[in-house]
Amino acid sequence: MTDKILMKTPLVEIDGDEMARVMWGMVKEKLLLPYIDLRTEYYDLALMKRDETNDQITIEAAEAIKKYGVGVKCATITPNAARVKEYKLKEEWKSPNGTIRAILDGTVFRKPIMVKNIKPAVRNWKRPILVGRHAYGDVYKNVEYRVDGPGKAELVFTNEQGAEVRHTLQKFKGPGIIQGIHNLDESIRSFAEACFAYALDQKVDLWFAAKDTISKTYDNHFKVLFEEIYRAKYQKRFEEAGISYFYTLIDDAVARIMSSEGGMLWALKNYDGDVMSDMLGAAFGSLAMMTSVLVSPQGYFEYESAHGTVQKHYYRYLKGEKTSSNPMAIIFAWTGALRKRGELDNIPDLETFADQLEAAAIKTIEDGIMTGDLAKLAEPPARKIATTEEFIDEVARRLEH
Ligand code: NAP
Ligand code: MG
């Protein structure tokens, strides 16, 4: 490659924190900038920047994705009490991912990167298991209350005419806790639509699971809306594509997934998706091999890695140690975003570049050169356990040939 690939529309680039941010910089410098005339609109979501702007920068980044259509995001710190102290924050700012998801009302799809020499922890998994996580509501938009003594908790809904519906939640005899959660038909529908569309796109069966036997109104409503949308819009297209949709209870789905060969898209409610995607990430090898994309019903895309900021490695990096943190999911976040940008702007070279970079990264691992997280799992054993920088250099070498 001699001439750099030109871009038309900028990518919304959302930078983050700690080791993920360090890897982000290396990937750009060594794997992207030499080949692409990279056009991005840059939003720095480093925790201090969020604090300085009272978190406005996060909202602006999400609005920019609405404007341009495609974003790529680095992992960011979600503050907790310890982080408030560590960074002397004005406030315990909300999770940026939560804020962005709420603004885009999208669905997060996760897909593991599979390589020949890393066998999944579950022997029978032959193909990737894709996870679709609903990204709105439930416990992520809850109202909680600490009950400090006896009293009555009620669930009250007042409609626009002022009529009230009232249910007793619990008559407390002593202290306890209460939580109110909600969801919206509109959001559940767009979640279902995104899942059906993505299953068709990836040509895989769609499974949806919830707990409608216990939650006979709330979870059951998810099931009803999925069924309705499937029958009205997707059944025929699924049959033509030779794929199927089925609903089952969440516990049954967990058991079936464990004994399956993989190769399906598993749609999950917000919390289930949060938990299960981390489990699948680890079972497929490493969280660092799990890619993630947020797809909104309006067709906006935000690509990211599923892992966090890799805090412990960062503290070692700050002491001058060369860490062996795995940049694969960060590389694939960029290739996902660049490929989508290429598709939307009709730049075939950009799509080809994304394919070539992914192939080079996979080849590096399959050649036995990998970071420490994968070396623990590799069969045959790794030929070389690389630092992050060495690994990226090896990928660059394979990209050039
Ligand atoms: P994490 O950053 O994902 O790291 C957890 C552990 O997983 C690491 O200590 C490391 O294990 C391993 N790991 C994760 N990614 C790796 C990589 N790329 N290469 C090698 N090993 C990797 O999760 P966390 O420590 O729970 O969270 C740290 C920060 O990230 C928190 O402040 C959290 O709020 C934030 N976070 C952000 C996002 C996001 O923005 N999408 C997601 C999750 C968490 P070893 O230490 O054993 O090597
Ligand atoms: Mg999680």
Side-chain angles (χ1 to χ4, degrees), residues 200-215:
L200 275 172
D201 179 69
Q202 299 277 311
K203 286 215 176 10
V204 290
D205 291 344
L206 176 64
W207 298 20
F208 177 51
K211 195 70 183 179
D212 62 303
T213 47
I214 299 297
S215 175

Side-chain angles (χ1 to χ4, degrees), residues 42 64 94 117 181 236 284:
Y42 181 81
K94 285 192 222 150
N117 43 346
I181 60 168
K236 217 172 149 261
F284 271 105

Side-chain angles (χ1 to χ4, degrees), residues 133-389:
R133 172 186 174 185
H134 188 205
Y136 177 84
D138 300 351
V139 73
Y140 302 84
K141 230 171 160 48
N142 65 0
V143 177
E144 299 182 312
Y145 185 70
R146 162 75 170 127
V147 173
D148 57 11
K152 184 166 75 169
E154 292 177 294
L155 193 60
V156 182
F157 175 76
T158 315
N159 77 8
E160 282 191 355
Q161 287 71 44
E164 264 183 23
V165 184
R166 204 171 264 271
H167 289 288
T168 300
L169 272 181
Q170 178 70 16
K171 286 176 181 148
F172 286 88
K173 295 196 175 74
I177 39 184
I178 321 173
Q179 178 179 67
I181 60 168
H182 79 279
N183 225 299
L184 307 171
D185 279 24
E186 196 192 359
S187 175
I188 300 167
R189 281 180 197 280
S190 61
F191 169 50
E193 295 261 4
C195 292
F196 288 121
Y198 193 59
L200 275 172
D201 179 69
Q202 299 277 311
K203 286 215 176 10
V204 290
D205 291 344
L206 176 64
W207 298 20
F208 177 51
K211 195 70 183 179
D212 62 303
T213 47
I214 299 297
S215 175
K216 291 187 196 313
T217 302
Y218 197 107
D219 276 24
N220 185 62
H221 196 59
F222 279 79
K223 175 182 169 183
V224 167
L225 291 180
F226 263 74
E227 192 64 35
E228 188 187 298
I229 290 166
Y230 179 62
R231 293 210 184 291
K233 291 179 67 176
Y234 292 95
Q235 189 162 13
K236 217 172 149 261
R237 287 157 72 189
F238 266 52
E239 283 164 9
E240 282 164 10
I243 57 173
S244 61
Y245 164 66
F246 91 107
Y247 172 86
T248 186
L249 282 172
I250 181 74
D251 35 359
D252 178 53
V254 169
R256 284 177 188 241
I257 288 281
M258 292 304 284
S259 53
S260 77
E261 286 197 355
M264 73 289 284
L265 168 59
W266 191 13
L268 290 156
K269 291 176 59 205
N270 208 347
Y271 175 82
D272 297 336
D274 184 350
V275 175
M276 287 302 161
S277 54
D278 285 347
M279 188 200 69
L280 289 168
F284 271 105
S286 165
L287 257 184
M289 298 290 276
M290 186 62 94
T291 66
S292 182
V293 56
L294 177 77
V295 181
S296 88
Q298 292 82 18
Y300 309 130
F301 293 81
E302 184 212 43
Y303 294 83
E304 57 174 333
S305 63
H307 63 77
T309 62
V310 213
Q311 181 182 11
K312 284 181 212 143
H313 294 208
Y314 183 62
Y315 292 155
R316 298 208 301 267
Y317 167 85
L318 287 180
K319 285 186 199 147
E321 196 180 311
K322 287 200 183 307
T323 69
S324 184
S325 322
N326 186 341
M328 282 293 280
I330 292 175
I331 295 171
F332 277 64
W334 276 100
T335 52
L338 291 168
R339 183 183 293 111
K340 179 56 74 179
R341 200 63 274 168
E343 210 178 290
L344 294 174
D345 293 346
N346 193 20
I347 312 171
D349 283 355
L350 204 52
E351 293 177 68
T352 305
F353 174 78
D355 294 343
Q356 286 169 342
L357 177 49
E358 287 182 2
I362 287 173
K363 183 158 196 318
T364 305
I365 297 174
E366 292 184 345
D367 285 346
I369 299 161
M370 62 193 80
T371 48
D373 56 322
L374 299 183
K376 285 180 218 155
L377 308 161
E379 264 176 52
R383 283 201 296 122
K384 178 184 168 70
I385 301 177
T387 64
T388 304
E389 206 163 0

